[in-house]
Amino acid sequence: MSANTLRNPSVAIIGAGMTGILAAIKLREAGIDDIVVLEKADELGGTWRENTYPGVACDVPSHMYTYSFRGNPEWSHRFARGAEIHTYFKQVAQEYGVDQQIRFGEALERCHHVDGQWQLHTSKGAELTVDFVVAATGILHHPAYPDIEGLDRYQGEMWHTARWNHDVDLAGKRVGIIGTGSTACQVIGNIAERCGQLTIFQRTPQWIVDVPDQQYTEKDKAGLRGRQDKLSALSRRYAMALRNTFSKAVTGKKIPLALMSWAAKRNLRKSVRDPELRAKLTPDYPVGCKRLIINSTFYEAVQRDNVLLETAGIERIEEGGVVTADGQLHEVDVLILATGFSPFNFMRPMDLRGRDGVSIDQVWERKVQAYRSVCLPGFPNFFLMLGPNTPIGNYSVIAMSEVQTNYVLKLIDQWRAGKLDQVEATEEAKQRFNDYLREGMGNTVWVGGCQSWYLDADGDPAMWPYSWKQWVKELEEPDLDDFRKAA
Ligand code: NAP
């Protein structure tokens, strides 16, 4: 079929973060121009717009954390800072004209599949009808607030790391921070020096590896300007290194896992001299079970005289501070919640109803699953970006989104060529895919006995348990036998 006989679909993309921008660029490149991007905030950038906490940076090497088609010679460090990543996405959206297609300050509230199309209702009261919906709403987007008695009674300043209050100056203040994940480690390394006293409330210690954070010089940057070939080569080099180390280690390959364990244990041994403190910081679960933290500032900060690592466990919170299980009240002026995110919401809360009026909350009531992370039986012509079991972890989510976007485009091509009107994976295919995932999980480190945001309510990891190569292969071509046939 020639290009001018192809049907031209209308597509709504939910969210103008990294994946939403990518989807818009790729759809336009494929000749699909009837696109609207609905963004509830007043600015694009997703996680990099929302996370502005001190020390925010990406722990995936910057030259790998870019779109493959648009490298960035301007990165300041091996691990790019949050603000410069945000700038990068704004620049790319502008260069590719995507910013013109974004409707800012307009959230998608209702999304119903009616008579073969999607009927949308936005927070501004607009009604839209489209052929396809792409949910590019991110994973780590909904802050998780800890369920601790008395949290609402606390009288000092309190905020979640994803909602940082920049109006409060921490200099000289008594600050408490709950959590010791990737976010907390970055925050602690950055603020410890300026706080009067910093108390870290650690529930579970974490494994940390230190990868040197090289600063790029003007000369380095100049050598990369206008050289997409060099930028791509750099990106490929980092990607290969990560695949051969982290990705293999977490999916159970013995030698990479042993090396990763060695690196994390050595880092702790070398960085923390006091045996008592070291014991407090030593996890009792295998390296990689929780997401491995890449950080070079936390161990130094935790050994400062004005920093206390409190491991007694939080009993309750009172007006003036945090009471630990040993009965001690830790008075703090500011309480920072570095308690992570609810990763199983995806596009919810949203009144999303598929074929026959089935709601997403009903479908996901027992288990959050999808077909190849992208498709949902019962929800034709609806695609998830970074959906359940995308191989997140210590790898670039941009690379993952690019693979998923190509897959989605191939499915939309079926519609454009008139081969399918309703692109909908079957329930049986979804089940088979999830059985296949379950078979692989036993080999992974995520089932190593720790608690983490990777695990769903049943304790099953929402991760990809096989190799990156295998994942790319799965998404290379749609298997049309897994989709409902035209009626
Ligand atoms: P997280 O890894 O889920 O860590 C949450 C922390 O809060 C944990 O230490 C947890 O303790 C603690 N916590 C939660 N509820 C608690 C409670 N009721 N009482 C005491 N402690 C509680 O969250 P995160 O640090 O925000 O990181 C989430 C993910 O964001 C990372 O894994 C990563 O994927 C991404 N991230 C990436 C970067 C980057 O550089 N690319 C930076 C930051 C974040 P337990 O361990 O005991 O549950």
Side-chain angles (χ1 to χ4, degrees), residues 45 116 150 170 199 282 299 315 342 349 382 390-391 414 417 428 447 452 481:
L170 298 179
T199 307
T282 306
Y299 283 148
E315 178 75 32
S342 305
F382 184 100
T390 298
Q414 293 293 317
E428 192 266 330
V447 292
S452 82
D481 289 342

Side-chain angles (χ1 to χ4, degrees), residues 48 53 57-60 140 146-148 161 178-184 186 201 203-204 206 290-291 314 338-341 451 453:
W48 303 106
Y53 59 81
C58 183
D59 63 6
V60 173
L140 301 169
D147 183 16
I148 301 175
T161 48
I178 302 180
T180 47
S182 303
T183 304
Q186 290 182 341
F201 297 97
R203 185 165 66 182
T204 318
Q206 303 248 10
K290 284 174 184 281
R291 185 182 189 273
I314 300 173
T339 42
F341 299 86
Q451 186 51 249
W453 65 264

